[in-house]
Amino acid sequence: MDNELHKQIEYLVTAACRQKKDSPQRRRYLTQIIRLIQQSNGLWKEPVPYYEDALQQTWLYFCLNLCEATTAGEAYNPKKSQITTWLNAYLKRRLQDCKNLYEGQKKKQVFTSDEFDPIASLEAPPDIPPLLQELTEWAETDFSGELRKIHLKGRKDITCQLLILRRLPPESSWKQLSEEFGVSISTLSTFYERQCRPRLRQFTEQQGY
Amino acid sequence: MTLPRNKSLRIPVTTHAHFIAKSFAQNQPTREKQRQIYHNSLAVCAVKDYLNWMGITSRFDNSDLANPATRLCADVADLEVVGIGRIECRPVTENSSDCILPPETWSDRIGYVVVHLIPPYKEAVLLGFSPTARTGVLSSEQLQSIEDLVEYLSIEHEKIAISSYLSQWLGGVVTEGWHSLEALLGESRLAWRSNYISEMETELTWGKVLDLGIKLGNQSLILLVTLKPESPSSMIIRVRLQPNQNNHYLPNGVALSLISDTGEEIQKIQARNYDNAIQMLPFRGQFQEYFTVKVTLDDQVFQEQFII
């Protein structure tokens, strides 16, 4: 690692550990150190599908054990090693764990190559998802009459029912609705947020989703 | 020594995050909607992982993203920071372009984090954060650094700890420093000072003595809050500022303002010469909503946050 960067990191480590655990100041320093280590490119890399899992655990280990030993036997000791050496040792152990886990579950694993676009490999969308159909029927029927009754203040034509139906996919855009009804987007979306959203959530809870 | 100026941070995207994204993206009507949900899920997971490193607990099991109906009907990526509020984690696919916030995310959020994602989604870059939705678009220059987010969350947490819960006031549990009108103004002065208040018997008023420092000499001000319960989850609130017993007039230029939970100034009234009180227009508050009342005189500021 470049010497200047290394000195900067060591300085921030001392500064971080002078602050109280979980204090905003400590958290600020931790974030800055992580950023510098990322910029240094000093961490071990390996083109394996479980690399990110191991790295994720490594950053958590870093935050928990830099100043106090929380999950490690002892906290980081700058006299013993450079910070990247300390982290790489942990990262390689986690890579080994993840490798064992991965080998065990290989058949189930989804991610294999870097060219892979995970979204393209999702199941093709169904014509009409069952929930969409249920929601449409629920809002149209409006058994209790509640959705038809609740409306935007001063606008009896803009009801909960209307907005729920118009915002179900394929939805009308907020801009389109705003122009059509002559009401600002934020008025419409706030009404939706306060009146429609809780009722949509309630519906799914009652249906056991 | 110079500190790093770059404000972003790279977060490894775990197989668990992909698993969640995949399960949320299932059963959507279009490829486009699937992509939106996949991105939103990865953005939320990345912010959650970062907060976890920082020792900040967050959850999305009760979020709009996790609910199948709200996820279908809205473009949402919300994450609850436990004990503080919801932050919105917005994915972008270009790191320099503006981040457009969908209208359904404009309210009920304590902040916005912009997350850069590119296939094959091995890492997510937290580009920065904004405490408000601004005009519904966040440009990269407007973003604060990601460490400002953790500091902001810590400050918000303290604010909530010292906030006044108005629903509790109605039950008789009043925040320290606030007193009944009788106790505050003294029986004799009460009649003429408070005749504006007792329009309805269902209304209750409390007051607090504010000390705006040397600017006022020995004069202090009284902030009055009147609550009128409307339904179990809402109330009408009136806020008034007046001088204490020894003075008839408010200092010229003193201002009373109402700030929304998104930091937007909703009302501001300023005293002119010989005003003996200033009062906000009554407003309605819903359960769990936040607002802040601010009193300013030149560079002296008093503010207090309230939760319905």
Side-chain angles (χ1 to χ4, degrees):
Chain A
M1 196 196 301
D2 126 18
N3 206 28
E4 178 60 26
L5 200 57
H6 174 67
K7 268 200 277 184
Q8 211 172 352
I9 291 173
E10 291 301 312
Y11 164 81
L12 288 172
V13 168
T14 316
C17 296
R18 268 204 298 263
Q19 302 292 337
K20 268 203 327 222
K21 188 170 183 276
D22 289 339
S23 66
Q25 295 84 355
R26 164 85 70 93
R27 287 167 172 164
R28 178 175 282 273
Y29 284 126
L30 289 176
T31 305
Q32 288 170 345
I33 299 165
I34 297 172
R35 181 182 293 133
L36 281 181
I37 297 174
Q38 291 179 344
Q39 283 167 3
S40 78
N41 284 320
L43 284 189
W44 175 257
K45 284 201 184 64
E46 221 175 287
V48 286
Y50 45 84
Y51 177 77
E52 283 69 30
D53 291 349
L55 186 58
Q56 178 71 236
Q57 292 178 43
T58 305
W59 287 127
L60 183 60
Y61 174 84
F62 164 83
C63 292
L64 290 174
N65 300 294
L66 182 73
C67 304
E68 303 89 15
T70 310
T71 58
E74 53 182 315
Y76 169 62
N77 182 349
K79 293 192 189 89
K80 270 196 191 164
S81 63
Q82 275 205 4
I83 196 128
T84 41
T85 317
W86 176 60
L87 288 178
N88 281 335
Y90 183 83
L91 175 58
K92 285 177 192 171
R93 288 202 300 277
R94 291 293 75 79
L95 280 166
Q96 191 56 50
D97 293 347
C98 290
K99 183 174 183 225
N100 296 340
L101 199 70
Y102 177 75
E103 303 275 308
Q105 300 185 327
K106 204 164 186 176
K107 281 173 198 147
K108 288 188 233 157
Q109 273 290 345
V110 195
F111 313 105
T112 43
S113 114
D114 277 4
E115 274 77 48
F116 212 55
D117 177 1
I119 298 170
S121 71
L122 289 174
E123 267 175 52
D127 282 345
I128 299 173
L131 177 62
L132 179 56
Q133 182 133 23
E134 283 173 50
L135 282 168
T136 313
E137 281 164 18
W138 161 74
E140 275 174 353
T141 320
D142 185 22
F143 190 70
S144 67
E146 185 191 49
L147 301 179
R148 246 171 296 209
K149 209 172 70 192
I150 298 162
H151 60 84
L152 190 67
K153 207 177 167 195
R155 288 296 298 266
K156 289 213 157 119
D157 55 326
I158 307 176
T159 62
C160 225
Q161 182 187 42
L162 174 103
L163 276 188
I164 286 176
L165 288 171
R166 294 291 300 271
R167 288 295 297 167
L168 280 173
E171 72 277 14
S172 311
S173 72
W174 289 109
K175 190 165 177 288
Q176 210 174 328
L177 292 169
S178 160
E179 282 162 7
E180 187 177 328
F181 296 114
V183 177
S184 75
I185 291 179
S186 66
T187 304
L188 285 176
S189 65
T190 306
F191 176 78
Y192 189 86
E193 185 70 14
R194 297 260 149 89
Q195 300 293 349
C196 306
R197 187 177 73 97
R199 292 184 168 82
L200 286 165
R201 292 182 66 112
Q202 209 179 1
F203 173 78
T204 50
E205 279 153 25
Q206 284 164 358
Q207 299 301 306
Y209 274 97
Chain B
M1 194 165 303
T2 52
L3 293 177
R5 243 175 285 147
N6 185 339
K7 54 191 178 186
S8 64
L9 197 72
R10 284 147 53 192
I11 312 290
V13 176
T14 60
T15 45
H16 181 64
H18 280 284
F19 174 79
I20 288 166
K22 192 181 166 195
S23 72
F24 283 174
Q26 264 163 3
N27 278 318
Q28 298 304 321
T30 61
R31 209 33 130 191
E32 218 28 62
K33 186 69 190 172
Q34 285 188 321
R35 188 170 294 276
Q36 176 200 90
I37 291 176
Y38 204 97
H39 286 167
N40 288 353
S41 309
L42 292 187
V44 165
C45 288
V47 175
K48 187 178 194 302
D49 285 337
Y50 169 63
L51 293 179
N52 185 37
W53 301 351
M54 295 293 123
I56 298 171
T57 316
S58 63
R59 49 185 280 198
F60 57 77
D61 52 335
N62 196 32
S63 67
D64 280 348
L65 174 66
N67 181 288
T70 41
R71 149 171 102 226
L72 177 71
C73 300
D75 180 1
V76 281
D78 54 331
L79 175 68
E80 181 194 345
V81 183
V82 174
I84 304 180
R86 283 201 290 169
I87 46 177
E88 181 72 20
C89 316
R90 296 307 308 175
V92 291
T93 47
E94 304 277 337
N95 67 3
S96 56
S97 66
D98 292 347
C99 173
I100 295 164
L101 304 172
E104 51 266 50
T105 68
W106 292 353
S107 59
D108 197 22
R109 301 290 193 277
I110 56 160
Y112 298 81
V113 181
V114 181
V115 185
H116 182 215
L117 297 170
I118 10 169
Y121 313 112
K122 293 284 184 190
E123 80 179 10
V125 183
L126 309 186
L127 292 178
F129 127 92
S130 167
T132 69
R134 291 179 169 263
T135 56
V137 182
L138 299 173
S139 71
S140 51
E141 302 84 58
Q142 286 167 337
L143 296 177
Q144 292 174 242
S145 73
I146 205 66
E147 52 265 45
D148 286 344
L149 167 71
V150 285
E151 191 157 317
Y152 170 77
L153 291 178
S154 312
I155 293 165
E156 282 301 297
H157 188 70
E158 284 166 27
K159 264 207 244 164
I160 287 166
I162 58 151
S163 287
S164 299
Y165 284 83
L166 295 180
S167 303
Q168 293 183 0
W169 285 23
L170 289 174
V173 186
V174 181
T175 314
E176 208 185 315
W178 289 85
H179 306 280
S180 73
L181 211 57
E182 291 80 358
L184 205 62
L185 299 175
E187 297 292 336
S188 58
R189 301 267 178 174
L190 188 65
W192 70 269
R193 287 284 189 187
S194 63
N195 53 6
Y196 80 98
I197 290 165
S198 320
E199 285 168 8
M200 302 286 283
E201 283 187 356
T202 52
E203 290 188 344
L204 288 161
T205 299
W206 291 268
K208 184 178 196 172
V209 179
L210 308 186
D211 183 10
L212 283 180
I214 50 163
K215 278 276 177 325
L216 289 173
N218 59 0
Q219 184 189 355
S220 56
L221 301 173
I222 296 179
L223 183 66
L224 293 171
V225 173
T226 302
L227 305 180
K228 180 182 166 191
E230 201 188 27
S231 76
S233 62
S234 73
M235 56 177 82
I236 304 288
I237 300 146
R238 286 192 285 151
V239 182
R240 176 177 157 116
L241 185 71
Q242 63 181 55
N244 74 355
Q245 291 104 312
N246 306 323
N247 300 81
H248 281 284
Y249 306 113
L250 284 172
N252 189 18
V254 68
L256 180 63
S257 36
L258 174 66
I259 317 287
S260 76
D261 52 357
T262 56
E264 194 188 332
E265 186 177 273
I266 297 170
Q267 289 191 40
K268 183 175 183 175
I269 307 114
Q270 194 158 20
R272 294 152 305 179
N273 275 325
Y274 310 116
D275 265 340
N276 49 27
I278 49 176
Q279 189 173 336
M280 279 181 198
L281 294 171
F283 56 95
R284 175 177 288 108
Q286 304 279 349
F287 184 56
Q288 287 188 335
E289 262 178 359
Y290 291 70
F291 64 92
T292 300
V293 170
K294 200 161 131 185
V295 176
T296 40
L297 179 63
D298 303 327
D299 55 349
Q300 302 288 317
V301 181
F302 162 86
Q303 60 177 22
E304 182 147 340
Q305 179 165 282
F306 297 88
I307 302 177
I308 307 291

